[in-house]
Amino acid sequence: MNRSLKTIALGLGLAMAAAGTAAAQDFDGFYLGAYGSGDFTTSPNTYGFGANAGYLYEFTPGGYVGVEGDAYFPMSNPNIYTASARLGYDFGTPFMVYGQVGAGMDSTGASLWTVGAGGEYAVGGNTSVRLGVDRYQPFSGGPANYVAKVGLNYRF
């Protein structure tokens, strides 16, 4: 399965490079997305999938602030549901870097906090490719999980 994740990441990277001449796109507005993921801090590695929905507001040219809800479904681990505040910047290009911080809970009822960062590339037609890493940490302490995510978002 690790090989397929690398293949997907390579394919998305090639698609982003091929679309490098795309015009700058606003990332503001409502969006829905889906992603595949890998948690490489667990042994054995855990793979999963998830969905996200959110809203970004462009408060200054290239600067975005917003909120996002996320549902993450890892294999053989509790599901995780979070809400986060997002901050991003697009540098006048179709690429936006972002950071986020939030809180949530898993399907066992344990509370946790999360922090993440990544990049999003507008490939056109209101669609963007997203690559990032999120850290999930229980409020009660214990080990943190670092989850790499690769997905697509669609803006309305």
Side-chain angles (χ1 to χ4, degrees), residues 4-154:
S4 64
L5 188 61
K6 289 178 183 176
T7 303
I8 291 169
L10 177 62
L12 289 173
L14 291 173
M16 289 169 50
T21 59
Q25 173 180 324
D26 284 337
F27 289 91
D28 61 338
F30 290 100
Y31 61 90
L32 292 174
Y35 58 85
S37 64
D39 181 347
F40 304 106
T41 60
T42 59
S43 182
N45 294 340
T46 302
Y47 300 94
F49 63 94
N52 55 280
Y55 181 81
L56 286 175
Y57 171 74
E58 187 173 16
F59 65 91
T60 187
Y64 300 89
V65 64
V67 294
E68 179 176 280
D70 186 276
Y72 170 47
F73 306 102
M75 296 172 9
S76 71
N77 284 331
N79 299 339
I80 297 174
Y81 308 97
T82 60
S84 298
R86 282 184 84 193
L87 187 63
Y89 193 76
D90 72 11
F91 303 98
T93 69
F95 180 73
M96 176 182 67
V97 294
Y98 69 87
Q100 61 189 43
V101 62
M105 65 178 10
D106 67 21
S107 55
T108 68
S111 298
L112 55 90
W113 61 272
T114 183
V115 62
E120 197 166 338
Y121 188 85
V123 294
N126 295 336
T127 304
S128 58
V129 177
R130 182 171 168 174
L131 176 65
V133 175
D134 290 345
R135 172 191 165 120
Y136 299 106
Q137 177 77 47
F139 277 117
S140 61
N145 290 338
Y146 293 86
V147 178
K149 299 178 179 181
V150 177
L152 292 172
N153 281 348
Y154 182 80

